[in-house]
Amino acid sequence: MDIILRDGRLPDGRAVDIGLDNGLIQAVEPHLPTSARQDIALGGRLVSPPFVESHIHLDSALTAGQPRWNQSGTLFEGIEIWRDRKQSLSLEDVKARAIATLKLQAQQGVLYVRSHADVSETSLTALRALLEVRDAVKDWITVQVVAFPQDGLYGGPKNLELMEAALKLGTDAVGGIPHYEMTREDGVESVHRIFELAQRYDRLIDIHCDEIDDDQSRFLEVVAACAVRSGLGSRVTASHTTAFASYNNAYAFKLMGLLARANINFIANPLINITLQGRTDTYPKRRGVTRVKELWQQGINVSLGHDCVQDPWYNLGTGNMLDVASMAVHVCQMTGQEEIAACYAMVTANGAKTLSLQDSYGLEVGKPANLIVLDADSPYDAIRRRATVTHVFSRGKLLVQTKPAEVKWE
Ligand code: FE2
């Protein structure tokens, strides 16, 4: 055996030794009698599948304040600032920031990332850069790229053409932004077009859907209906869906039935939407996060994303998925023990399901040897203390180690 991790604790509480060899998990047992080239004592620490960042924009990451800061804190000022910033994008600029962000994520236990790439500018620089990055990092982190029409599929005369060019260049998924199209009709048409493109090019779908406080923004029902009719189901993801929090309960109850039937995935981004949404409210002020708890209670797959790390929409952000899970626990009022465990699943296994990676993800024997060790004894403890990820193993090798902070009283 190449590596044995001794005396670890799985998220379900079982105490185990884990053997890694040939890039795969070879054994998960209460005690492994064999020896290994490298024996690592974990002292009862939590061993987990890696974190999954199911929603981020790597092309805009680390640009906060360029060319100016977002003073209103709104989504729409963010889009305007990004429209200016993206005029000066170069391949090198995007690649350097994306790789710096991926390193920040990986050192905190993220080994799977779905990034949106803006395909609204004519040179497709952001997209080309992220496709190069996806390839350059594939030996240590898995990246999926979504072609995301930030300015709308029908917001400019060339946008549809650019989307198709992006798909030909090899994105993993088709994206969209129906609530930002000029008219409701354009929004509905954009969703139908996204499904057509996904079927023609055999891609996943991940739509920025109803990311607005408008209770009349109802593109989620269109996405769900298209998922039912096309049979694409679990290959489809609705991101944000913050308007769902503003729908009246009679409509939300009816919609929930359709969503369960559609079998689509949801991604909530509680860090950023708690700050972006509700900006036009006085009091009471809305939380701006979709109905995470109710979706989870219906058995619908929900994962959580960071969305932004220091960009025009959110000038904070660390890439730490425990920050995201902690915010979900608070904003979605999921403080029960089962609910906290569910929020941990939303940044691990549920994210893998959203990315359609569940066959290669997990701590079972025969799966790729991607796993992390945390300075915590349970998922609850990890979220509560935002515990340090002490070891990250990727493709059977130790990729990065971090020492927890030491406190010394005099
Ligand atoms: Fe987003």
Side-chain angles (χ1 to χ4, degrees):
M1 204 77 77
D2 189 32
I3 299 173
I4 294 182
L5 307 176
R6 301 219 181 256
D7 190 22
R9 195 167 288 275
L10 297 178
D12 63 12
R14 279 180 293 152
V16 289
D17 291 353
I18 300 179
L20 315 178
D21 202 22
N22 258 337
L24 299 175
I25 297 173
Q26 301 288 356
V28 181
E29 291 173 22
H31 176 67
L32 276 176
T34 45
S35 60
R37 185 185 61 78
Q38 207 179 354
D39 228 281
I40 302 174
L42 301 184
R45 281 180 177 162
L46 177 64
V47 183
S48 166
F51 292 128
V52 180
E53 170 55 271
S54 52
H55 188 120
I56 194 166
H57 296 253
L58 289 174
D59 52 355
S60 55
L62 310 182
T63 63
Q66 302 170 10
R68 61 187 183 277
W69 294 93
N70 184 336
Q71 300 294 354
S72 69
T74 59
L75 173 74
F76 300 106
E77 185 175 347
I79 292 175
E80 279 169 30
I81 295 170
W82 176 239
R83 194 173 288 143
D84 292 344
R85 176 59 176 83
K86 71 189 179 191
Q87 304 309 318
S88 63
L89 288 182
S90 69
L91 281 176
E92 289 63 37
D93 165 39
V94 179
K95 279 159 61 180
R97 288 185 289 99
I99 288 176
T101 309
L102 289 167
K103 283 184 165 173
L104 195 62
Q105 294 172 303
Q107 75 194 35
Q108 298 178 95
V110 177
L111 288 181
Y112 303 91
V113 175
R114 174 179 283 179
S115 175
H116 294 258
D118 185 358
V119 295
S120 297
E121 42 86 32
T122 49
S123 62
L124 292 177
T125 303
L127 176 81
R128 289 175 204 278
L130 291 190
L131 292 177
E132 280 185 37
V133 167
R134 180 181 69 183
D135 195 46
V137 302
K138 68 178 191 303
D139 291 340
W140 55 278
I141 190 166
T142 301
V143 175
Q144 286 185 352
V145 178
V146 185
F148 172 51
Q150 174 73 77
D151 299 336
L153 213 47
Y154 297 106
K158 287 211 166 333
N159 291 11
L160 200 53
E161 233 173 80
L162 287 166
M163 170 60 86
E164 204 151 351
L167 292 171
K168 286 179 182 154
L169 285 170
T171 67
D172 300 278
V174 193
I177 186 164
H179 58 279
Y180 190 64
E181 300 287 352
M182 287 188 279
T183 67
R184 193 185 60 81
E185 286 76 9
D186 284 356
V188 172
E189 179 57 30
S190 77
V191 173
H192 287 290
R193 188 54 66 97
I194 289 160
F195 272 80
E196 267 171 46
L197 289 169
Q199 286 182 302
R200 186 162 3 124
Y201 289 92
D202 189 23
R203 305 296 155 85
L204 300 167
I205 292 174
D206 190 333
I207 298 176
H208 280 65
C209 191
D210 301 318
E211 188 185 8
I212 189 165
D213 291 324
D214 176 11
D215 63 347
Q216 296 299 315
S217 184
R218 294 186 174 182
F219 298 103
L220 177 54
E221 64 179 17
V222 184
V223 171
C226 286
V228 170
R229 291 187 183 126
S230 65
L232 289 181
S234 64
R235 291 173 63 80
V236 178
T237 297
S239 281
H240 295 287
T241 63
T242 57
F244 194 1
S246 293
Y247 296 160
N248 67 71
N249 279 340
Y251 175 68
F253 186 78
K254 174 219 160 197
L255 180 62
M256 201 59 98
L258 171 62
L259 298 176
R261 189 176 155 208
N263 193 31
I264 62 175
N265 307 291
F266 281 78
I267 302 174
N269 299 289
L271 281 175
I272 170 167
N273 285 125
I274 191 75
T275 68
L276 282 181
Q277 310 310 131
R279 290 277 177 167
T280 56
D281 291 354
T282 53
Y283 289 92
K285 198 180 273 290
R286 282 172 283 186
R287 291 169 184 245
V289 176
T290 194
R291 301 190 186 208
V292 171
K293 190 197 284 199
E294 292 74 13
L295 287 164
W296 166 69
Q297 286 168 338
Q298 290 292 318
I300 293 169
N301 189 51
V302 183
S303 57
L304 301 172
H306 219 295
D307 201 10
C308 304
V309 175
Q310 293 180 281
D311 73 8
W313 295 275
Y314 185 64
N315 55 21
L316 304 162
T318 59
N320 183 344
M321 295 311 291
L322 292 173
D323 280 348
V324 180
S326 174
M327 184 57 83
V329 166
H330 289 80
V331 177
C332 307
Q333 298 185 326
M334 294 184 69
T335 49
Q337 283 293 297
E338 262 186 51
E339 292 167 348
I340 292 176
C343 289
Y344 191 84
M346 289 177 195
V347 293
T348 51
N350 295 16
K353 200 171 169 195
T354 300
L355 270 58
S356 285
L357 294 173
Q358 61 268 45
D359 292 344
S360 59
Y361 179 89
L363 294 186
E364 292 82 31
V365 172
K367 296 271 175 82
N370 300 321
L371 51 93
I372 61 175
V373 180
L374 294 100
D375 181 30
D377 59 21
S378 66
Y380 159 59
D381 187 33
I383 290 178
R384 186 181 70 81
R385 294 189 298 110
R386 255 78 100 234
T388 302
V389 174
T390 59
H391 301 72
V392 179
F393 294 90
S394 174
R395 285 66 167 155
K397 296 195 181 79
L398 183 56
L399 179 69
V400 52
Q401 289 188 71
T402 304
K403 283 205 172 92
E406 271 184 12
V407 178
K408 197 175 164 210
W409 280 77
E410 298 295 347

